[in-house]
Amino acid sequence: MRVALFVTCLGDQFFAEAAADAVRLLRALGVEVDFPRDQTCCGQPAYNAGYRREALQMARHTLRVFEHAEYVVLPSGSCTATLRAFYPELLREDASAYRAATDLAQRTYELSEFIVRVLGVTELGKGLEGRRVAYHHGCHALRELGLREEPLTLLRNAGAELVDWEAAEECCGFGGLFSVKLPEVSLAMADRKLDTLPAPDLLTSADGGCLLHLAGRLEHRGRSVPVQPLASVLWEAHRGG
């Protein structure tokens, strides 16, 4: 099986090691991984800001870059939702592009989703034995893609104790441009979420933007909780097991 990795902007700029861990993990599971060098932003910021023409340009470019990929895998629920849910809507008025977008949507998966649903793997190893893990459900992964159990299953089966977090499924307040346009509300939402966070050994999520936001608020509040992208945690689960 062969996949094309769409590393995403945040993966490229802030979580390069997590992107590399995603490659290591997929290869360890017997998957060949390509990295198309022409990939760029999926266009979600432009789409959310109402810059439809720019978002269309990025969507058409992404369709060309991943045209021949058997599967497209992203270590990001948010960008996966852009390809799967938003591209077909964005390109609905162009019949040819719409067909390409719906085809790409059917071949596109968030990393944990791909491992569980396509590879049929639910046990990566026991590398998280004894670790108390808090999982943040990003809004796009949870509400647009319907991903809830896949990451939890992989973490739990690797020996992690998933802490009981009242606000695990609440929005963290990041929301890309939302945090820029309404920073006071955005920070209040993050603080509300973190007020309910127990004392885990680490906090993880499939969405880098949410992790950056929550990590910043944790530091501001003087709380020392390691924050780690899901791809790296899953690689640790496999490598340590």
Side-chain angles (χ1 to χ4, degrees), residues 42-79:
C42 67
Q44 185 183 146
Y47 180 74
N48 289 345
Y51 288 91
R52 186 177 180 84
R53 185 182 64 181
E54 289 78 2
L56 276 168
Q57 289 176 339
M58 292 179 175
R60 293 182 191 281
H61 176 77
T62 300
L63 290 178
R64 287 193 295 272
V65 169
F66 294 101
E67 180 181 4
H68 300 297
E70 182 179 3
Y71 294 101
V72 180
V73 175
L74 302 88
S76 163
S78 181
C79 299

Short mmCIF file of all heavy atoms in Angstrom, two decimals, residues 42-79:
data_model
loop_
_atom_site.label_atom_id
_atom_site.label_comp_id
_atom_site.label_asym_id
_atom_site.label_seq_id
_atom_site.Cartn_x
_atom_site.Cartn_y
_atom_site.Cartn_z
N CYS A 42 -3.47 23.92 2.32
CA CYS A 42 -4.71 23.38 1.76
C CYS A 42 -5.69 24.48 1.42
O CYS A 42 -6.67 24.24 0.70
CB CYS A 42 -5.35 22.41 2.76
SG CYS A 42 -5.96 23.19 4.29
N GLY A 43 -5.48 25.68 1.95
CA GLY A 43 -6.35 26.80 1.62
C GLY A 43 -7.39 27.12 2.68
O GLY A 43 -8.21 28.02 2.49
N GLN A 44 -7.36 26.39 3.79
CA GLN A 44 -8.39 26.63 4.80
C GLN A 44 -8.41 28.07 5.33
O GLN A 44 -9.50 28.64 5.50
CB GLN A 44 -8.23 25.65 5.97
CG GLN A 44 -9.35 25.78 6.97
CD GLN A 44 -9.19 24.88 8.18
OE1 GLN A 44 -9.57 25.25 9.28
NE2 GLN A 44 -8.62 23.71 7.99
N PRO A 45 -7.26 28.70 5.62
CA PRO A 45 -7.31 30.09 6.10
C PRO A 45 -8.00 31.03 5.11
O PRO A 45 -8.80 31.89 5.52
CB PRO A 45 -5.83 30.45 6.29
CG PRO A 45 -5.16 29.14 6.55
CD PRO A 45 -5.88 28.16 5.66
N ALA A 46 -7.71 30.87 3.82
CA ALA A 46 -8.36 31.72 2.82
C ALA A 46 -9.85 31.43 2.76
O ALA A 46 -10.68 32.35 2.68
CB ALA A 46 -7.71 31.48 1.45
N TYR A 47 -10.19 30.16 2.83
CA TYR A 47 -11.61 29.76 2.78
C TYR A 47 -12.37 30.35 3.97
O TYR A 47 -13.46 30.92 3.81
CB TYR A 47 -11.69 28.24 2.79
CG TYR A 47 -13.08 27.66 2.75
CD1 TYR A 47 -13.84 27.69 1.59
CD2 TYR A 47 -13.63 27.09 3.90
CE1 TYR A 47 -15.12 27.16 1.55
CE2 TYR A 47 -14.91 26.55 3.87
CZ TYR A 47 -15.65 26.59 2.70
OH TYR A 47 -16.92 26.07 2.68
N ASN A 48 -11.78 30.23 5.15
CA ASN A 48 -12.45 30.75 6.35
C ASN A 48 -12.57 32.26 6.36
O ASN A 48 -13.48 32.82 6.95
CB ASN A 48 -11.70 30.30 7.61
CG ASN A 48 -11.85 28.81 7.86
OD1 ASN A 48 -12.72 28.17 7.30
ND2 ASN A 48 -10.98 28.26 8.70
N ALA A 49 -11.60 32.92 5.70
CA ALA A 49 -11.60 34.38 5.68
C ALA A 49 -12.50 34.95 4.59
O ALA A 49 -12.66 36.17 4.49
CB ALA A 49 -10.17 34.89 5.50
N GLY A 50 -13.05 34.08 3.76
CA GLY A 50 -13.91 34.55 2.68
C GLY A 50 -13.18 34.90 1.40
O GLY A 50 -13.78 35.46 0.49
N TYR A 51 -11.90 34.55 1.32
CA TYR A 51 -11.14 34.78 0.10
C TYR A 51 -11.35 33.58 -0.83
O TYR A 51 -10.49 32.72 -0.99
CB TYR A 51 -9.66 34.98 0.41
CG TYR A 51 -9.36 36.30 1.07
CD1 TYR A 51 -9.36 36.44 2.45
CD2 TYR A 51 -9.10 37.43 0.27
CE1 TYR A 51 -9.10 37.66 3.05
CE2 TYR A 51 -8.84 38.66 0.87
CZ TYR A 51 -8.85 38.76 2.25
OH TYR A 51 -8.59 39.98 2.85
N ARG A 52 -12.50 33.56 -1.46
CA ARG A 52 -12.91 32.40 -2.24
C ARG A 52 -11.98 32.14 -3.43
O ARG A 52 -11.63 30.99 -3.70
CB ARG A 52 -14.35 32.60 -2.73
CG ARG A 52 -14.93 31.39 -3.42
CD ARG A 52 -16.39 31.62 -3.84
NE ARG A 52 -16.93 30.45 -4.51
CZ ARG A 52 -17.45 29.41 -3.88
NH1 ARG A 52 -17.49 29.42 -2.58
NH2 ARG A 52 -17.92 28.37 -4.56
N ARG A 53 -11.59 33.19 -4.14
CA ARG A 53 -10.74 32.99 -5.31
C ARG A 53 -9.41 32.35 -4.91
O ARG A 53 -8.93 31.41 -5.55
CB ARG A 53 -10.47 34.34 -5.99
CG ARG A 53 -9.68 34.21 -7.30
CD ARG A 53 -9.41 35.56 -7.91
NE ARG A 53 -8.54 36.37 -7.05
CZ ARG A 53 -8.15 37.61 -7.32
NH1 ARG A 53 -8.59 38.20 -8.43
NH2 ARG A 53 -7.36 38.27 -6.50
N GLU A 54 -8.79 32.85 -3.83
CA GLU A 54 -7.51 32.29 -3.38
C GLU A 54 -7.69 30.84 -2.89
O GLU A 54 -6.85 29.98 -3.13
CB GLU A 54 -6.93 33.15 -2.26
CG GLU A 54 -6.41 34.51 -2.72
CD GLU A 54 -7.51 35.54 -2.94
OE1 GLU A 54 -8.70 35.21 -2.70
OE2 GLU A 54 -7.19 36.68 -3.33
N ALA A 55 -8.80 30.59 -2.19
CA ALA A 55 -9.05 29.23 -1.71
C ALA A 55 -9.24 28.27 -2.89
O ALA A 55 -8.76 27.13 -2.86
CB ALA A 55 -10.30 29.22 -0.81
N LEU A 56 -9.91 28.75 -3.93
CA LEU A 56 -10.10 27.92 -5.12
C LEU A 56 -8.77 27.60 -5.79
O LEU A 56 -8.54 26.47 -6.23
CB LEU A 56 -11.01 28.65 -6.12
CG LEU A 56 -12.52 28.51 -5.89
CD1 LEU A 56 -13.28 29.51 -6.75
CD2 LEU A 56 -12.98 27.10 -6.21
N GLN A 57 -7.88 28.59 -5.85
CA GLN A 57 -6.57 28.34 -6.45
C GLN A 57 -5.81 27.26 -5.68
O GLN A 57 -5.20 26.37 -6.28
CB GLN A 57 -5.75 29.65 -6.47
CG GLN A 57 -6.26 30.67 -7.46
CD GLN A 57 -5.49 31.99 -7.37
OE1 GLN A 57 -4.86 32.30 -6.36
NE2 GLN A 57 -5.53 32.76 -8.43
N MET A 58 -5.86 27.33 -4.37
CA MET A 58 -5.15 26.34 -3.55
C MET A 58 -5.80 24.97 -3.66
O MET A 58 -5.11 23.95 -3.72
CB MET A 58 -5.13 26.80 -2.09
CG MET A 58 -4.27 28.03 -1.88
SD MET A 58 -4.28 28.59 -0.16
CE MET A 58 -3.09 29.93 -0.25
N ALA A 59 -7.12 24.94 -3.73
CA ALA A 59 -7.82 23.66 -3.86
C ALA A 59 -7.48 23.00 -5.20
O ALA A 59 -7.19 21.80 -5.26
CB ALA A 59 -9.32 23.87 -3.74
N ARG A 60 -7.49 23.78 -6.27
CA ARG A 60 -7.17 23.22 -7.59
C ARG A 60 -5.72 22.73 -7.62
O ARG A 60 -5.42 21.69 -8.21
CB ARG A 60 -7.41 24.26 -8.68
CG ARG A 60 -8.86 24.65 -8.86
CD ARG A 60 -9.01 25.66 -10.01
NE ARG A 60 -10.34 26.24 -10.06
CZ ARG A 60 -11.41 25.64 -10.57
NH1 ARG A 60 -11.27 24.43 -11.10
NH2 ARG A 60 -12.59 26.24 -10.58
N HIS A 61 -4.83 23.49 -6.98
CA HIS A 61 -3.42 23.07 -6.93
C HIS A 61 -3.29 21.74 -6.16
O HIS A 61 -2.59 20.82 -6.62
CB HIS A 61 -2.59 24.15 -6.25
CG HIS A 61 -1.15 23.76 -6.06
ND1 HIS A 61 -0.24 23.77 -7.09
CD2 HIS A 61 -0.48 23.31 -4.96
CE1 HIS A 61 0.93 23.36 -6.63
NE2 HIS A 61 0.82 23.08 -5.35
N THR A 62 -3.97 21.64 -5.03
CA THR A 62 -3.89 20.42 -4.23
C THR A 62 -4.46 19.23 -4.99
O THR A 62 -3.92 18.11 -4.92
CB THR A 62 -4.64 20.61 -2.90
OG1 THR A 62 -4.03 21.70 -2.18
CG2 THR A 62 -4.58 19.36 -2.04
N LEU A 63 -5.51 19.45 -5.74
CA LEU A 63 -6.09 18.37 -6.55
C LEU A 63 -5.06 17.84 -7.55
O LEU A 63 -4.95 16.64 -7.77
CB LEU A 63 -7.33 18.86 -7.30
CG LEU A 63 -8.57 19.15 -6.46
CD1 LEU A 63 -9.69 19.68 -7.35
CD2 LEU A 63 -9.04 17.90 -5.75
N ARG A 64 -4.28 18.77 -8.16
CA ARG A 64 -3.26 18.34 -9.13
C ARG A 64 -2.14 17.58 -8.43
O ARG A 64 -1.67 16.54 -8.91
CB ARG A 64 -2.70 19.55 -9.87
CG ARG A 64 -3.65 20.16 -10.89
CD ARG A 64 -2.91 21.14 -11.79
NE ARG A 64 -2.40 22.29 -11.06
CZ ARG A 64 -3.10 23.41 -10.83
NH1 ARG A 64 -4.35 23.50 -11.29
NH2 ARG A 64 -2.59 24.41 -10.17
N VAL A 65 -1.71 18.10 -7.28
CA VAL A 65 -0.57 17.49 -6.57
C VAL A 65 -0.87 16.05 -6.14
O VAL A 65 -0.01 15.16 -6.24
CB VAL A 65 -0.19 18.35 -5.33
CG1 VAL A 65 0.80 17.60 -4.44
CG2 VAL A 65 0.38 19.68 -5.77
N PHE A 66 -2.11 15.82 -5.69
CA PHE A 66 -2.45 14.49 -5.17
C PHE A 66 -3.35 13.69 -6.12
O PHE A 66 -3.98 12.72 -5.70
CB PHE A 66 -3.13 14.63 -3.80
CG PHE A 66 -2.21 15.17 -2.74
CD1 PHE A 66 -2.28 16.51 -2.36
CD2 PHE A 66 -1.25 14.35 -2.16
CE1 PHE A 66 -1.42 17.02 -1.39
CE2 PHE A 66 -0.39 14.86 -1.20
CZ PHE A 66 -0.46 16.19 -0.81
N GLU A 67 -3.34 14.08 -7.37
CA GLU A 67 -4.23 13.45 -8.36
C GLU A 67 -4.03 11.94 -8.43
O GLU A 67 -4.99 11.19 -8.57
CB GLU A 67 -3.98 14.09 -9.73
CG GLU A 67 -4.84 13.51 -10.84
CD GLU A 67 -4.52 14.18 -12.18
OE1 GLU A 67 -3.59 15.01 -12.21
OE2 GLU A 67 -5.22 13.87 -13.17
N HIS A 68 -2.78 11.49 -8.37
CA HIS A 68 -2.51 10.07 -8.59
C HIS A 68 -2.22 9.29 -7.31
O HIS A 68 -1.82 8.12 -7.38
CB HIS A 68 -1.33 9.93 -9.56
CG HIS A 68 -1.58 10.57 -10.89
ND1 HIS A 68 -2.57 10.14 -11.74
CD2 HIS A 68 -0.98 11.64 -11.50
CE1 HIS A 68 -2.58 10.88 -12.83
NE2 HIS A 68 -1.63 11.80 -12.72
N ALA A 69 -2.39 9.91 -6.16
CA ALA A 69 -2.10 9.22 -4.89
C ALA A 69 -3.17 8.17 -4.61
O ALA A 69 -4.37 8.42 -4.78
CB ALA A 69 -2.06 10.23 -3.75
N GLU A 70 -2.73 7.00 -4.16
CA GLU A 70 -3.69 5.96 -3.79
C GLU A 70 -4.48 6.41 -2.56
O GLU A 70 -5.71 6.28 -2.51
CB GLU A 70 -2.95 4.66 -3.49
CG GLU A 70 -3.87 3.50 -3.14
CD GLU A 70 -3.10 2.20 -2.88
OE1 GLU A 70 -1.85 2.24 -2.92
OE2 GLU A 70 -3.75 1.17 -2.63
N TYR A 71 -3.77 6.91 -1.57
CA TYR A 71 -4.37 7.51 -0.38
C TYR A 71 -3.60 8.79 -0.04
O TYR A 71 -2.39 8.88 -0.29
CB TYR A 71 -4.30 6.58 0.84
CG TYR A 71 -5.12 5.33 0.72
CD1 TYR A 71 -4.52 4.11 0.38
CD2 TYR A 71 -6.49 5.35 0.96
CE1 TYR A 71 -5.28 2.95 0.28
CE2 TYR A 71 -7.25 4.18 0.86
CZ TYR A 71 -6.64 2.99 0.52
OH TYR A 71 -7.39 1.86 0.42
N VAL A 72 -4.30 9.76 0.55
CA VAL A 72 -3.66 10.97 1.08
C VAL A 72 -3.87 10.94 2.59
O VAL A 72 -5.02 10.85 3.06
CB VAL A 72 -4.26 12.25 0.48
CG1 VAL A 72 -3.57 13.49 1.07
CG2 VAL A 72 -4.14 12.23 -1.04
N VAL A 73 -2.79 11.02 3.34
CA VAL A 73 -2.87 10.94 4.81
C VAL A 73 -2.31 12.23 5.40
O VAL A 73 -1.24 12.71 4.98
CB VAL A 73 -2.08 9.73 5.34
CG1 VAL A 73 -2.06 9.72 6.87
CG2 VAL A 73 -2.71 8.43 4.83
N LEU A 74 -3.03 12.77 6.37
CA LEU A 74 -2.63 14.03 7.01
C LEU A 74 -2.57 13.85 8.52
O LEU A 74 -3.51 13.28 9.11
CB LEU A 74 -3.62 15.16 6.71
CG LEU A 74 -3.88 15.52 5.26
CD1 LEU A 74 -4.98 14.68 4.67
CD2 LEU A 74 -4.19 17.02 5.15
N PRO A 75 -1.54 14.35 9.17
CA PRO A 75 -1.51 14.35 10.64
C PRO A 75 -2.28 15.57 11.18
O PRO A 75 -1.79 16.31 12.04
CB PRO A 75 -0.02 14.42 10.96
CG PRO A 75 0.56 15.19 9.82
CD PRO A 75 -0.27 14.85 8.61
N SER A 76 -3.49 15.75 10.69
CA SER A 76 -4.29 16.92 11.04
C SER A 76 -5.76 16.67 10.71
O SER A 76 -6.10 16.44 9.55
CB SER A 76 -3.81 18.16 10.24
OG SER A 76 -4.79 19.18 10.27
N GLY A 77 -6.61 16.72 11.73
CA GLY A 77 -8.03 16.58 11.47
C GLY A 77 -8.60 17.78 10.74
O GLY A 77 -9.47 17.65 9.88
N SER A 78 -8.09 18.96 11.06
CA SER A 78 -8.61 20.19 10.48
C SER A 78 -8.39 20.24 8.97
O SER A 78 -9.31 20.51 8.20
CB SER A 78 -7.95 21.39 11.16
OG SER A 78 -8.46 22.59 10.64
N CYS A 79 -7.16 19.98 8.54
CA CYS A 79 -6.86 20.03 7.10
C CYS A 79 -7.50 18.86 6.37
O CYS A 79 -7.88 18.99 5.21
CB CYS A 79 -5.35 20.08 6.88
SG CYS A 79 -4.56 21.52 7.64
#
